[in-house]
Amino acid sequence: MREKPDVFISHASPDKATFVRPLAEALRKLGVAVWYDEFSLELGDSISQQIDRGIASSRFGIVVVSPAFISRNWTQHELHALVSRDVDQDIRILPVWHGVTRKEVSDFSPSLADKVAIDTSHVDAMEAAIRILRTVRPDLYSAHPRAELERLASGAAIAELQAGGSVDRPCPQDPRFPKFDDYEVVILPKPLSGAEGVTTMARPKTDMARKLRLNAGVGATEQEARARLLGQFRYAAGEISNAEWFKATVG
């Protein structure tokens, strides 16, 4: 990759398949210029030189902190380079916690633990990519409705073009667009993937509702979890703005 990247992704190789590769692909589909080794290294490149150049030229550094990341020397070299730039205010570090607790992050790097992070026990790679987009490319984030961002990040928009432009997701202007009552709100007996608090899922009851997927709603209480699920639906229905959606479902 020879264009100046928006983000550099620092990660451990064992996390590629489970999270990092889907994250990098989703970011690229959203229009973010990504430095990621599988995209950016070419035959004959010096790995260390290209990584150093990637760090030096990126505006943001995504650090996927995991047990594998913590245990490897090379990832710590990348982190030190990113932190050094962060101190000089040339780059912003965006931490992603992948299978680690706050204490584990704090023990490894107090400065990382002090930053607002994305926790993959609460979100998948597509959702993480959309949240990162909001920070690194607010111009692209604000230019598309939430539903369109999901289609872009998942690759659905590309698939639809290749299939001749058929759209399966219901449009808010369609009189058949589902109502929130067309979903059964289910409280999971235990949080998703170790998430703390209460997790709610929207189980569709109609054919149109099945075409509008809602992510899990996670909150400290059942009321908060339900409210975040409703916030997702209201955004998809065009009832609230990007900023209102983010406040309702994240902040």
Side-chain angles (χ1 to χ4, degrees), residues 56-245:
S57 60
S58 299
R59 295 186 301 115
F60 295 86
I62 300 171
V63 181
V64 183
V65 186
S66 68
F69 186 95
I70 290 173
S71 66
R72 281 163 169 71
N73 291 330
W74 181 253
T75 54
Q76 294 186 40
H77 165 78
E78 290 183 358
L79 177 60
H80 290 157
L82 289 168
V83 169
S84 178
R85 280 204 58 200
D86 186 36
V87 170
D88 294 334
Q89 298 183 345
D90 287 329
I91 193 171
R92 282 184 59 189
I93 294 179
L94 309 176
V96 176
W97 298 357
H98 187 53
V100 290
T101 64
R102 176 178 291 277
K103 184 178 186 308
E104 288 171 326
V105 177
S106 181
D107 289 345
F108 169 64
S109 172
S111 64
L112 276 184
D114 191 47
K115 295 179 180 291
V116 175
I118 292 173
D119 189 339
T120 64
S121 66
H122 296 172
V123 301
D124 59 13
M126 184 183 76
E127 178 63 29
I130 292 174
R131 295 188 185 185
I132 290 170
L133 179 73
R134 186 174 187 264
T135 297
V136 304
R137 290 295 304 274
D139 56 324
L140 295 178
Y141 179 85
S142 60
H144 300 282
R146 168 72 188 192
E148 181 65 15
L149 292 176
E150 290 181 358
R151 289 176 61 249
L152 290 169
S154 67
I158 296 173
E160 287 163 7
L161 286 173
Q162 293 173 339
S166 62
V167 179
D168 198 35
R169 185 185 177 96
C171 173
Q173 284 70 46
D174 190 327
R176 299 172 300 164
F177 191 85
K179 300 177 175 59
F180 192 64
D181 288 343
D182 291 335
Y183 298 87
E184 177 188 1
V185 178
V186 178
I187 310 298
L188 298 189
K190 60 175 64 176
L192 277 179
S193 305
E196 297 180 358
V198 179
T199 300
T200 56
M201 300 290 290
R203 182 178 296 164
K205 297 187 289 185
T206 67
D207 288 341
M208 290 301 286
R210 277 186 279 274
K211 295 182 179 182
L212 182 67
R213 181 180 67 87
L214 300 178
N215 293 325
V218 180
T221 64
E222 179 178 331
Q223 181 180 8
E224 185 177 90
R226 285 177 178 270
R228 290 187 170 178
L229 203 60
L230 176 60
Q232 288 186 56
F233 174 81
R234 292 188 63 208
Y235 186 89
E239 297 175 3
I240 58 177
S241 66
N242 278 342
E244 290 171 320
W245 167 84

